[in-house]
Amino acid sequence: MTAVEPKADQATITVRNPADGRVAGTVPVDGPDTVAAKARELRLYQTEWEEIGPRGRKAWMFKWQDWILDNADHLTEVLMSETGKSRKDASLEPVALADSIKYWAGNAEAFLADAHPKPHTLIYRVKKLTTVYRPYQLVGIIEPWNFPLAMLALDVVPALAAGAAVLLKPSEVTPLSAVEFARGWTEVGAPPVLGLATGYGETGAAVIDNADYVHFTGSTATGRKVAVACAQQLKPLSLELGGKDPAIVLADADVDRAANGIAWGGMFNSGQVCISVERVYVEAPVYDEFVRKLTANVRNIAQGQEDSGFKYDTGAMATAAQCDIVDRHVQEAVAAGARVLTGGKPTGVGTFFQPTVLADVTPAMSCIAEETFGPTLPVVKVADEDEAIRLANDSKYGLSATVWTGDIDRGERVARRLDCGAVNINDALTNVFCPSLPMGGWKDSGIGYRAGGPSGLIKFCRQQAITAPRIPTQKSELVWYSSSRRQARMAIRAMRAFAGKGVRRFGVRPGK
């Protein structure tokens, strides 16, 4: 069963619930001409959106936030219908979206205020130096299927708060949440600077062609293609790509907390999280205890499809293709000598795959080397901290990691040795909920950063430098051609005096 019916020549996309195959809704396939027309219309209104300033934008975005909270139950139902998520997992997304609006719209005025850097030398004290942040007119955002609303909180919301117009292309697997997202913007009467383009790869390519700045979240393979397309057009971009996040459990860790946190960090949203725990390295003295407790936790995870209430912890996987990858990784691990301690196979219903723990895993297995993006936790026994760090860094990915220890200082030392963009100590997934922190991948996990306080807005802006005189101006500056040679020599001597150190400031070589 697939979540969509991918026929390249069709006029609409039929979205199905991966948990049971029922039709959840349909959206049109927007061709390049349609995308270009939407982009032109967005540009018409962006100037006014920028000119009303952060306070004006804040007023509209807070009305939108009210709409999202008032319609949170409906948004949750739509999410469940197109992703197969549990209600518990789906319910987090509207709330995260509302929280993101509060942060970015609420702080935009301070973050985007003109900056006045201090002159680097006394010579330039006579100049007023200003950095101005002017948004890109149209930001194109292409998002994946694992968090159809929460991803928009990370990218669309700050771009709007920065003053840009946004053309959003959601995944063809889960476009229905984005339709509701955009509908809310329209229903509160906000300026028409948020557009939606639905379709397949051709639609995404058209978004890139028509945007001034591009953000893409998805697989590393597709991210490379996006990067090439942007490079050919000299367009700035940011990419948040694949991950294979390690967890390191040291011998001094609180094993109960580690087992609880890693179970959640690996199984949340059925493991379909870019920063989910995908491989676990445990020091030998606590390996057996940890594996026993982790297995018990994962075995107790309630998985299923629900119409009401909060009965289940996790739901189905979003696509049959992703479920097949998970199944292959488990089968290949078992064939190479790993043991399945719980789970290990599809349930036979929809795209559900049992929450799985693998023991006796080795670094060469595909479940360690490749991104799984599913509900599996392969566990590797290591001799010590150094081996754990070496194996954790032995990956082409570098998105985030977790370290579990009873000594926070030790945890921070380990964190600084890990080659990834974020490390959570005695916790999992925390950084993504903290917009004041940067979220970015190293190595094949991406280019650029999300969030990070002011940087999360400035990334959607062009920085403009403005200089102006602080004192009454003369007819000529000292180094202009209209000045005398004597004035030019004076200026150069002054520049050298401020640039150099010691006697070199005065044109004297030491020892001469």
Side-chain angles (χ1 to χ4, degrees), residues 431-445:
N431 63 293
V432 77
F433 297 104
C434 300
S436 56
L437 287 171
M439 180 185 177
W442 297 7
K443 299 187 280 189
D444 282 7
S445 287

Side-chain angles (χ1 to χ4, degrees), residues 250 385 403 405 407-418 423-425:
L250 300 173
E385 173 186 307
V403 178
T405 174
D407 183 342
I408 301 302
D409 290 339
R410 182 188 185 192
E412 292 187 356
R413 289 195 300 271
V414 171
R416 292 169 188 271
R417 296 175 62 191
L418 294 174
V423 181
N424 296 296
I425 298 170

Side-chain angles (χ1 to χ4, degrees), residues 274-348:
C274 57
I275 58 171
S276 66
V277 177
E278 288 221 3
R279 49 199 174 109
V280 187
Y281 301 102
V282 186
E283 282 194 294
V286 294
Y287 176 84
D288 291 336
E289 179 187 5
F290 172 81
V291 167
R292 183 175 68 253
K293 292 180 175 179
L294 176 69
T295 302
N297 288 341
V298 172
R299 188 178 288 127
N300 288 332
I301 290 174
Q303 181 187 57
Q305 182 184 15
E306 57 201 349
D307 294 324
S308 62
F310 286 79
K311 181 178 180 181
Y312 298 106
D313 298 313
T314 63
M317 302 197 67
T319 71
Q322 197 61 43
C323 190
D324 289 342
I325 292 172
V326 178
D327 191 35
R328 174 175 64 82
H329 282 186
V330 172
Q331 290 188 41
E332 289 174 353
V334 171
R339 290 183 296 128
V340 175
L341 301 184
T342 188
K345 59 185 179 181
T347 66

Side-chain angles (χ1 to χ4, degrees), residues 22 39 105 157 216 253 338 343 360 392 453 512:
R22 288 183 294 179
V157 171
F216 170 81
D360 300 336
K512 296 293 184 180

Side-chain angles (χ1 to χ4, degrees), residues 382-393:
V382 296
D384 53 28
E385 173 186 307
D386 287 338
E387 184 182 15
I389 293 170
R390 177 178 61 79
L391 292 175
N393 287 337

Side-chain angles (χ1 to χ4, degrees), residues 356-430:
T356 300
V357 176
L358 296 169
D360 300 336
V361 176
T362 62
M365 294 178 182
S366 59
C367 65
I368 293 289
E370 301 174 13
E371 184 177 27
T372 303
F373 219 64
T376 64
L377 282 168
V379 187
V380 180
K381 182 189 294 186
V382 296
D384 53 28
E385 173 186 307
D386 287 338
E387 184 182 15
I389 293 170
R390 177 178 61 79
L391 292 175
N393 287 337
D394 185 22
S395 173
K396 65 181 181 179
Y397 298 110
L399 202 51
S400 70
T402 68
V403 178
W404 305 82
T405 174
D407 183 342
I408 301 302
D409 290 339
R410 182 188 185 192
E412 292 187 356
R413 289 195 300 271
V414 171
R416 292 169 188 271
R417 296 175 62 191
L418 294 174
D419 297 335
C420 58
V423 181
N424 296 296
I425 298 170
N426 294 338
D427 214 334
L429 313 186
T430 306

